[in-house]
Amino acid sequence: MTQPHRPITIADVAHQAQVSAMTVSNVINNKPNVRPQTRQRVLDAIEKTGYRVNPMARALAGGRARMLSVVTRQLNLPYVSEVLMGAAEAAETLNYDLVVLMAGTRTSPDLSVMSRLSVGALLIQPNQFTPLGAGDLPEHVVSVDGPSARALSVDNHGGAQRAMGHLLALGHTRIATITGLAAHDIDPRSGRSVPDTDRDDGQERLRAYHGAMQAAGLRVPRGYVQQGDYTKSSGEAATRRLLRLHRPPTAIFAACDAMAVGAIHVAQDLGLRVPDDLSVVGFDGLPIASECNPQLTTVRQPLHEMGAAAVHLLVQLAGGQRPATPAPFATDLIVRGSTAAAPRP
């Protein structure tokens, strides 16, 4: 008879990541006293082992009055990790506990537990997993990077405009883009959005790309808008398609850093020099942007600040206040070694 699989434990994660169980516990509880490299190794081990925090036990241990839940699909995405760090630091300052709950392709019954035991929930990239019903969540909900009644966002259009302005100022005219999720809701030829769609960061960045090209009097050639999904592998696949075109681009604006890093790797694998033959710009300002070679020019999102702001907003709502949702956060263009003047014809 087949023996049932035993539950994955913190000890299993610690063995996989080659760290102590205490370190794993610190990562799960979003304690800030863990080195970024170690934190990422633990998050990768959680994904590989399939470990899941028991939300009921965590909630009962923490008590409803001082607990917030964080709902996301993947813990080991750099974007999610950055938001979580900001949220964790704010929660610790305010003496609140954070319970991290992963939501897959189907709604987990554990979400209903959180609705009864949390005073609020932070959703990170909620448009990437199955929409949650009102009964699955606490009364107070704030999202980062996704549509909701209270959504924290950045000036995506302005940030993308700065990225495009940088490439145009360098003399590039053959500029391609690798889009984010839900960009299929925009006509790639006109840049116009389909009516009645939810707000989407990828759409705003694509709209800015089309607007900058049009303002510069440049036509967007067929094939210069490639679909991505915010992963490095999708950036690699899109770049291969772009560089196979009859007249390949001399610059690529990717809607996130992971796709931009994928673009750099593919270009180098094909024997191109970055930035001499191909300039690349990303969007996020994640640690990976400064770790690749050459370092990535990127539009920085204040992800730490957004995570902290979300927690402060939830605590205010739980306390009976009715604060206004913050205006879109400003972005900064960080110029590094992945961009240079357009190559001569």
Side-chain angles (χ1 to χ4, degrees):
M1 188 174 72
T2 303
Q3 295 296 321
H5 294 291
R6 67 174 180 83
I8 303 299
T9 66
I10 284 181
D12 296 318
V13 177
H15 178 75
Q16 177 68 36
Q18 296 184 330
V19 298
S20 68
M22 180 61 71
T23 298
V24 175
S25 178
N26 286 339
V27 172
I28 292 172
N29 287 282
N30 298 302
K31 300 297 183 183
N33 58 334
V34 181
R35 290 185 301 175
Q37 300 93 327
T38 303
R39 181 178 300 275
Q40 190 63 49
R41 197 161 74 245
V42 171
L43 293 175
D44 289 339
I46 290 173
E47 286 291 317
K48 187 170 184 179
T49 60
Y51 175 75
R52 295 293 180 268
V53 177
N54 184 328
M56 176 66 84
R58 288 289 309 279
L60 293 176
R64 181 182 186 277
R66 309 297 299 183
M67 193 185 75
L68 302 170
S69 56
V70 177
V71 183
T72 186
R73 184 173 183 178
Q74 269 186 287
L75 282 175
N76 65 340
L77 293 177
Y79 179 102
V80 174
S81 181
E82 290 292 307
V83 176
L84 270 175
M85 283 294 295
E89 291 169 4
E92 185 169 24
T93 299
L94 296 170
N95 196 28
Y96 271 75
D97 290 322
L98 286 184
V99 175
V100 179
L101 183 66
M102 294 177 64
T105 56
R106 59 185 178 83
T107 302
S108 167
D110 293 335
L111 293 174
S112 296
V113 175
M114 291 298 98
S115 71
R116 294 192 297 271
L117 297 174
S118 298
V119 297
L122 165 59
L123 311 184
I124 304 178
Q125 297 180 320
N127 56 335
Q128 290 195 33
F129 50 78
T130 303
L132 306 171
D136 294 320
L137 293 169
E139 176 184 359
H140 306 298
V141 176
V142 173
S143 74
V144 172
D145 192 11
S148 76
R150 291 185 179 272
L152 301 186
S153 62
V154 300
D155 180 13
N156 289 284
H157 192 274
Q161 279 186 320
R162 281 188 283 277
M164 289 296 295
H166 173 63
L167 292 173
L168 290 166
L170 290 172
H172 291 277
T173 57
R174 289 154 50 193
I175 306 173
T177 187
I178 304 174
T179 69
L181 291 170
H184 59 273
D185 292 331
I186 289 183
D187 183 336
R189 289 169 293 185
S190 68
R192 296 177 181 175
S193 62
V194 177
D196 301 323
T197 58
D198 286 327
R199 180 193 64 81
D200 181 87
D201 295 344
Q203 289 180 345
E204 294 174 18
R205 295 168 199 176
L206 180 57
R207 189 176 299 112
Y209 164 82
H210 281 287
M213 294 290 280
Q214 183 177 14
L218 298 173
R219 182 181 64 87
V220 177
R222 183 180 296 275
Y224 268 39
V225 176
Q226 291 290 330
Q227 178 75 50
D229 63 6
Y230 296 126
T231 63
K232 179 174 175 285
S233 60
S234 73
E236 291 170 342
T239 302
R240 289 191 182 93
R241 293 191 294 269
L242 287 168
L243 297 180
R244 285 199 297 262
L245 294 173
H246 176 66
R247 281 179 59 80
T250 63
I252 294 175
F253 167 50
C256 78
D257 286 349
M259 295 191 299
V261 170
I264 290 175
H265 289 172
V266 165
Q268 292 171 335
D269 287 345
L270 294 176
L272 297 178
R273 298 166 300 168
V274 178
D276 295 337
D277 301 317
L278 179 71
S279 288
V280 180
V281 179
F283 200 116
D284 278 336
L286 297 173
I288 57 172
S290 60
E291 295 168 358
C292 63
N293 185 24
Q295 293 187 334
L296 178 66
T297 295
T298 184
V299 177
R300 176 187 173 271
Q301 298 189 74
L303 299 177
H304 270 77
E305 293 91 328
M306 293 173 72
V311 166
H312 280 279
L313 189 58
L314 285 171
V315 170
Q316 288 176 310
L317 290 167
Q321 302 179 50
R322 290 295 177 263
T325 302
F329 289 74
T331 57
D332 301 310
L333 177 67
I334 302 175
V335 178
R336 297 194 179 106
S338 68
T339 51
R344 294 181 179 179

